[in-house]
Amino acid sequence: MPVSCCKCDNNAVLKRPRSGEALCRQCFFSVFENEIHQTIVSNKLFAAGEKVAIAASGGKDSTVLAHVMKTLNERHNYGLELLLLSVDEGITGYRDDSLETVKRNQQQYELPLKIVSYEELYGWTMDKIVQQIGLKNNCTFCGVFRRQALDRGAMLLGVAKIVTGHNADDIAETVLMNILRGDIARLQRCTAITTGSEGAIPRSKPFKYTYEKEIVMYAYFKKLDYFSTECIYSPNAYRGHARAYLKDLESIRPTTIIDIIHSGDSLSVKGDVKLPVQGKCARCGYISSQELCKACILLEGLNRGLPRLGIGKATATNLQVHIAKHEREKQEQSEESYAACSGPCSCRTKESRKENKKVELDF
């Protein structure tokens, strides 16, 4: 027997994951869009006349975000100038295909599009990075570079804010990950609906309280054009384990996701706990709690053929020590090769060798 919509007499087509409400298609659209509107208004995410960049990857979250932001902007007269901003990480067979979806979204929503690439910003693509680092820590590079690339693209566009498609599931996963890693600094701010106000371009999350399942259903019933393939380099990502654990909890208690977010919102740090102080990178000027930002440290390792130097809690000081050690080892190997050479070659003489070579880094 068909189940009736809890808001009208039509037949329901879905049951909301969080509340269990049965809704017809039109009532679901209305509830979904109105909840996001209330999130935007109650948290004062935007001001009239602002230029706002929508982080667009071509996936379900960013596609639904672009559709809903355009719809609400026109319906409620937000007065925003919306643009699409995409990052090309250089992943053959994944990002090149998803960017085609973004380009179609640009035509469908009639919004300007800006694409920035890792190759033009850093001189590396993720394909090249994976060749150097393998599949174990590649997500570290991509996450760091992507965050900075979005900011750089936003600066080029002159926007006031960036909106991302991070949903309730993503935020709950991040809370769990930060707890498991003991990362107090990130745990303190990971549930904030707006971040980056301390010098970087602010980022807002209109989907903070929106379940991933409902985003998928909205995209399906609206027949939106989105790219659904997972990144080919992320099968071993740490987030995947947190996601699997969260899904298990949700199957037992449907409100788990929102409960975790509310718990994250309520967390406070003792006054005597020392937290990182935000400053600026000495090399590129990007926000950083260290002398060098994480992106510059990772790039230094890549460019010197030492990609693993930036993995973990690397600083400019220990990076310099590691590079100096690597240079000494190379010199010792060269000395050994010279000593073993008995030929009359004149490619290198003892007189021309530089003793006690000093490694100088531009820090």
Side-chain angles (χ1 to χ4, degrees):
M1 181 177 177
V3 178
S4 296
C5 173
C6 67
K7 295 187 177 297
C8 70
D9 295 329
N10 295 325
N11 290 337
V13 297
L14 61 90
K15 185 168 73 171
R16 301 192 73 186
R18 177 173 56 179
S19 64
E21 292 177 307
L23 297 172
C24 68
R25 185 176 305 191
Q26 291 304 317
C27 287
F28 170 63
F29 293 157
S30 177
V31 168
F32 183 89
E33 293 166 2
N34 188 59
E35 286 183 354
I36 295 168
H37 169 63
Q38 292 303 321
T39 298
I40 291 172
V41 172
S42 61
N43 291 279
K44 300 179 181 178
L45 297 187
F46 313 111
E50 286 185 328
K51 182 186 287 189
V52 177
I54 301 170
S57 66
K60 64 183 185 313
D61 297 315
S62 66
T63 300
V64 172
L65 178 64
H67 176 86
V68 171
M69 284 298 299
K70 180 176 174 62
T71 299
L72 297 180
N73 189 40
E74 295 173 351
R75 179 184 300 164
H76 299 286
N77 194 27
Y78 291 163
L80 304 178
E81 181 183 350
L82 300 176
L83 310 93
L84 298 178
L85 174 60
S86 293
V87 177
D88 181 2
E89 299 94 342
I91 304 176
T92 304
Y94 170 69
R95 183 55 72 208
D96 46 359
D97 291 339
S98 70
L99 284 176
E100 292 303 313
T101 304
V102 174
K103 291 173 184 176
R104 291 196 299 272
N105 291 159
Q106 176 194 13
Q107 301 299 320
Q108 293 158 357
Y109 305 139
E110 300 178 330
L111 296 174
L113 169 64
K114 173 68 177 177
I115 300 175
V116 293
S117 71
Y118 283 7
E119 190 162 30
E120 69 179 71
L121 293 176
Y122 311 115
W124 289 82
T125 64
M126 279 308 300
D127 287 340
K128 293 178 181 177
I129 292 172
V130 169
Q131 289 176 5
Q132 296 290 320
I133 196 70
L135 290 173
K136 186 174 182 181
N137 295 299
N138 56 292
C139 289
T140 296
F141 287 83
C142 196
V144 171
F145 289 165
R146 182 176 175 79
R147 281 191 293 273
Q148 192 174 117
L150 275 175
D151 275 338
R152 290 191 179 189
M155 290 175 187
L156 290 173
L157 292 172
V159 302
K161 290 188 177 73
I162 302 171
V163 288
T164 65
H166 291 98
N167 56 52
D169 299 56
D170 297 327
I171 297 171
E173 290 163 12
T174 303
V175 172
L176 292 176
M177 290 167 63
N178 288 331
I179 290 174
L180 294 173
R181 289 188 297 215
D183 194 333
I184 302 299
R186 286 193 174 94
L187 184 60
Q188 185 185 30
R189 63 177 185 266
C190 67
T191 60
I193 197 166
T194 299
T195 57
S197 56
E198 316 91 355
I201 296 176
R203 299 187 187 193
S204 299
K205 299 185 279 282
F207 288 170
K208 176 180 177 178
Y209 303 110
T210 307
Y211 274 38
E212 182 179 45
K213 290 177 181 176
E214 296 198 353
I215 292 172
V216 172
M217 290 188 288
Y218 185 89
Y220 173 76
F221 286 120
K222 282 284 187 179
K223 295 182 169 54
L224 301 183
D225 183 6
Y226 68 92
F227 185 76
S228 58
T229 303
E230 290 290 330
C231 177
I232 60 176
Y233 292 145
S234 66
N236 300 317
Y238 185 49
R239 180 174 289 274
H241 301 291
R243 180 178 295 123
Y245 177 56
L246 185 65
K247 295 304 179 189
D248 289 341
L249 293 176
E250 187 188 9
S251 66
I252 301 169
R253 181 185 174 92
T255 61
T256 293
I257 292 173
I258 291 297
D259 291 343
I260 291 176
I261 292 175
H262 289 322
S263 297
D265 286 336
S266 302
L267 286 174
S268 61
V269 180
K270 287 184 178 180
D272 58 350
V273 174
K274 188 177 180 180
L275 295 173
V277 178
Q278 292 286 6
K280 288 190 176 181
C281 175
R283 177 173 292 180
C284 71
Y286 191 71
I287 56 170
S288 174
S289 58
Q290 303 289 337
E291 181 183 354
L292 292 183
C293 69
K294 188 70 170 179
C296 283
I297 291 176
L298 292 172
L299 275 175
E300 187 71 31
L302 286 171
N303 292 333
R304 288 182 173 270
L306 304 169
R308 294 188 182 278
L309 287 185
I311 302 300
K313 295 184 178 180
T315 65
T317 302
N318 64 31
L319 180 66
Q320 189 170 2
V321 170
H322 280 299
I323 293 175
K325 179 181 177 183
H326 178 72
E327 292 291 342
R328 287 196 300 271
E329 290 173 351
K330 284 172 60 179
Q331 185 179 353
E332 289 170 2
Q333 291 173 359
S334 180
E335 295 288 347
E336 292 173 0
S337 298
Y338 177 85
C341 178
S342 59
C345 59
S346 59
C347 61
R348 187 164 175 254
T349 64
K350 289 184 179 180
E351 291 76 14
S352 65
R353 282 181 289 150
K354 293 181 179 179
E355 300 294 336
N356 300 320
K357 182 179 179 183
K358 183 180 179 181
V359 179
E360 294 182 352
L361 301 178
D362 183 24
F363 285 148

